[in-house]
Short mmCIF file of all heavy atoms in Angstrom, two decimals:
data_model
loop_
_atom_site.label_atom_id
_atom_site.label_comp_id
_atom_site.label_asym_id
_atom_site.label_seq_id
_atom_site.Cartn_x
_atom_site.Cartn_y
_atom_site.Cartn_z
N ALA A 13 43.59 -58.50 41.09
CA ALA A 13 44.52 -57.52 40.53
C ALA A 13 45.93 -58.12 40.55
O ALA A 13 46.35 -58.69 41.55
CB ALA A 13 44.49 -56.25 41.36
N ARG A 23 67.66 -54.05 40.70
CA ARG A 23 67.15 -53.15 41.71
C ARG A 23 66.57 -51.91 41.06
O ARG A 23 67.29 -51.21 40.32
CB ARG A 23 68.27 -52.74 42.67
CG ARG A 23 67.75 -51.94 43.85
CD ARG A 23 68.88 -51.50 44.76
NE ARG A 23 68.40 -50.83 45.92
CZ ARG A 23 67.97 -49.56 45.93
NH1 ARG A 23 67.98 -48.86 44.85
NH2 ARG A 23 67.55 -49.01 47.05
N SER A 25 65.04 -48.05 40.58
CA SER A 25 65.37 -46.73 41.17
C SER A 25 64.40 -45.71 40.56
O SER A 25 63.77 -45.95 39.55
CB SER A 25 66.82 -46.36 40.86
OG SER A 25 66.95 -46.00 39.50
N SER A 35 51.21 -52.92 35.62
CA SER A 35 49.99 -52.55 36.28
C SER A 35 50.24 -51.62 37.44
O SER A 35 51.25 -51.68 38.10
CB SER A 35 49.28 -53.82 36.81
OG SER A 35 48.94 -54.68 35.76
N THR A 42 37.64 -41.85 48.21
CA THR A 42 37.35 -41.52 49.58
C THR A 42 36.28 -42.45 50.13
O THR A 42 35.71 -43.26 49.38
CB THR A 42 36.82 -40.06 49.71
OG1 THR A 42 35.56 -40.01 49.06
CG2 THR A 42 37.81 -39.06 49.08
N ARG A 46 34.16 -40.92 46.34
CA ARG A 46 34.58 -39.85 45.39
C ARG A 46 36.02 -40.11 45.01
O ARG A 46 36.84 -40.51 45.83
CB ARG A 46 34.46 -38.46 46.02
CG ARG A 46 33.06 -38.00 46.26
CD ARG A 46 33.10 -36.62 46.84
NE ARG A 46 34.09 -36.65 47.94
CZ ARG A 46 33.98 -35.98 49.06
NH1 ARG A 46 32.98 -35.17 49.25
NH2 ARG A 46 34.89 -36.07 49.98
N GLY A 57 56.71 -54.18 42.72
CA GLY A 57 57.52 -55.22 42.11
C GLY A 57 58.29 -55.97 43.17
O GLY A 57 58.30 -55.57 44.34
N ARG A 78 55.42 -22.67 56.71
CA ARG A 78 56.00 -23.54 57.73
C ARG A 78 55.47 -24.98 57.55
O ARG A 78 54.30 -25.17 57.30
CB ARG A 78 55.62 -23.02 59.10
CG ARG A 78 56.54 -23.49 60.16
CD ARG A 78 56.21 -22.83 61.46
NE ARG A 78 56.26 -23.90 62.42
CZ ARG A 78 55.83 -23.84 63.64
NH1 ARG A 78 55.29 -22.75 64.08
NH2 ARG A 78 55.92 -24.84 64.45
N GLY A 95 50.93 -63.94 52.02
CA GLY A 95 50.18 -65.18 52.18
C GLY A 95 48.68 -64.98 52.21
O GLY A 95 47.93 -65.94 52.24
N HIS A 96 48.23 -63.73 52.22
CA HIS A 96 46.79 -63.38 52.19
C HIS A 96 46.04 -64.12 53.30
O HIS A 96 45.04 -64.79 53.07
CB HIS A 96 46.25 -63.77 50.78
CG HIS A 96 45.05 -62.96 50.44
ND1 HIS A 96 43.85 -63.54 50.13
CD2 HIS A 96 44.86 -61.64 50.33
CE1 HIS A 96 42.95 -62.61 49.85
NE2 HIS A 96 43.56 -61.44 49.94
N ASP A 100 46.22 -59.30 60.76
CA ASP A 100 47.37 -58.48 61.05
C ASP A 100 48.26 -58.10 59.88
O ASP A 100 49.41 -58.48 59.80
CB ASP A 100 48.26 -59.16 62.14
CG ASP A 100 47.48 -59.45 63.40
OD1 ASP A 100 46.64 -58.60 63.75
OD2 ASP A 100 47.73 -60.48 64.03
N PRO A 101 47.70 -57.37 58.91
CA PRO A 101 48.58 -56.92 57.80
C PRO A 101 49.68 -56.02 58.33
O PRO A 101 49.51 -55.36 59.37
CB PRO A 101 47.63 -56.18 56.87
CG PRO A 101 46.49 -55.74 57.75
CD PRO A 101 46.37 -56.81 58.80
N GLU A 111 60.06 -39.73 55.71
CA GLU A 111 60.08 -40.34 57.02
C GLU A 111 59.21 -41.60 57.00
O GLU A 111 58.10 -41.56 56.49
CB GLU A 111 59.60 -39.36 58.09
CG GLU A 111 60.47 -38.11 58.17
CD GLU A 111 59.83 -36.97 58.94
OE1 GLU A 111 58.59 -36.78 58.84
OE2 GLU A 111 60.56 -36.27 59.64
N SER A 114 56.13 -47.54 61.17
CA SER A 114 55.34 -48.75 61.16
C SER A 114 55.24 -49.29 62.56
O SER A 114 56.25 -49.33 63.27
CB SER A 114 56.00 -49.80 60.25
OG SER A 114 55.30 -51.03 60.35
N CYS A 119 61.74 -50.10 60.79
CA CYS A 119 61.92 -49.22 59.63
C CYS A 119 63.40 -49.02 59.26
O CYS A 119 63.70 -48.58 58.16
CB CYS A 119 61.26 -47.87 59.85
SG CYS A 119 59.47 -48.00 59.88
N LYS A 123 64.63 -49.20 53.00
CA LYS A 123 65.27 -48.07 52.37
C LYS A 123 64.23 -47.24 51.65
O LYS A 123 63.31 -47.78 51.06
CB LYS A 123 66.32 -48.58 51.36
CG LYS A 123 67.49 -49.29 52.04
CD LYS A 123 68.50 -49.72 51.00
CE LYS A 123 69.61 -50.45 51.70
NZ LYS A 123 69.76 -51.81 51.30
N ASP A 130 57.95 -29.63 41.74
CA ASP A 130 56.87 -28.65 41.98
C ASP A 130 55.52 -29.32 41.89
O ASP A 130 54.61 -28.96 42.64
CB ASP A 130 56.96 -27.52 40.96
CG ASP A 130 58.17 -26.65 41.17
OD1 ASP A 130 58.71 -26.63 42.30
OD2 ASP A 130 58.62 -25.99 40.22
N ARG A 132 54.91 -32.96 41.75
CA ARG A 132 54.75 -34.29 42.33
C ARG A 132 55.84 -34.56 43.34
O ARG A 132 56.91 -33.99 43.32
CB ARG A 132 54.84 -35.36 41.25
CG ARG A 132 53.76 -35.24 40.20
CD ARG A 132 53.78 -36.40 39.23
NE ARG A 132 52.91 -37.51 39.49
CZ ARG A 132 51.62 -37.51 39.71
NH1 ARG A 132 50.99 -36.38 39.76
NH2 ARG A 132 50.90 -38.59 39.88
N LEU A 136 60.21 -44.32 46.64
CA LEU A 136 60.44 -45.71 46.33
C LEU A 136 60.90 -46.42 47.57
O LEU A 136 61.93 -46.09 48.13
CB LEU A 136 61.49 -45.83 45.21
CG LEU A 136 61.93 -47.26 44.85
CD1 LEU A 136 60.75 -48.08 44.35
CD2 LEU A 136 63.07 -47.22 43.84
N LEU A 137 60.09 -47.37 48.04
CA LEU A 137 60.42 -48.17 49.22
C LEU A 137 61.01 -49.50 48.84
O LEU A 137 60.45 -50.20 47.98
CB LEU A 137 59.17 -48.39 50.08
CG LEU A 137 58.44 -47.12 50.51
CD1 LEU A 137 57.19 -47.51 51.30
CD2 LEU A 137 59.33 -46.26 51.35
N LEU A 144 59.54 -58.66 56.34
CA LEU A 144 58.11 -58.98 56.32
C LEU A 144 57.81 -60.35 56.92
O LEU A 144 56.67 -60.77 56.95
CB LEU A 144 57.58 -58.94 54.86
CG LEU A 144 57.68 -57.60 54.14
CD1 LEU A 144 57.27 -57.78 52.68
CD2 LEU A 144 56.83 -56.58 54.84
N GLU A 147 60.19 -65.89 53.84
CA GLU A 147 61.44 -66.52 53.49
C GLU A 147 61.74 -66.49 51.99
O GLU A 147 62.89 -66.37 51.58
CB GLU A 147 61.51 -67.96 53.99
CG GLU A 147 61.49 -68.06 55.52
CD GLU A 147 61.50 -69.49 55.97
OE1 GLU A 147 61.88 -70.38 55.22
OE2 GLU A 147 61.12 -69.70 57.16
N GLY A 157 47.67 -60.18 50.11
CA GLY A 157 46.70 -59.13 50.28
C GLY A 157 47.43 -57.80 50.32
O GLY A 157 48.51 -57.69 50.93
N VAL A 163 46.68 -40.09 52.76
CA VAL A 163 46.07 -39.05 53.58
C VAL A 163 46.79 -37.75 53.24
O VAL A 163 47.98 -37.66 53.47
CB VAL A 163 46.17 -39.35 55.09
CG1 VAL A 163 45.57 -38.20 55.88
CG2 VAL A 163 45.49 -40.66 55.43
N CYS A 164 46.05 -36.82 52.66
CA CYS A 164 46.60 -35.54 52.27
C CYS A 164 45.80 -34.44 52.92
O CYS A 164 44.71 -34.09 52.42
CB CYS A 164 46.64 -35.40 50.77
SG CYS A 164 47.37 -33.86 50.19
N GLY A 170 39.73 -36.32 53.46
CA GLY A 170 39.90 -37.47 54.33
C GLY A 170 40.73 -38.51 53.62
O GLY A 170 41.25 -38.30 52.52
N ARG A 177 38.53 -52.71 41.62
CA ARG A 177 37.20 -52.41 41.06
C ARG A 177 36.71 -53.62 40.27
O ARG A 177 37.48 -54.29 39.60
CB ARG A 177 37.27 -51.19 40.14
CG ARG A 177 37.61 -49.90 40.88
CD ARG A 177 36.45 -49.58 41.65
NE ARG A 177 36.26 -48.19 41.94
CZ ARG A 177 35.40 -47.83 42.85
NH1 ARG A 177 34.74 -48.72 43.52
NH2 ARG A 177 35.17 -46.56 43.13
#
Side-chain angles (χ1 to χ4, degrees):
R23 186 183 186 281
S25 74
S35 298
T42 66
R46 289 182 313 216
R78 202 174 136 192
H96 205 238
D100 301 324
E111 298 166 323
S114 174
C119 292
K123 293 181 182 118
D130 292 338
R132 299 186 94 53
L136 175 60
L137 303 178
L144 299 173
E147 294 179 20
V163 177
C164 182
R177 295 288 208 194

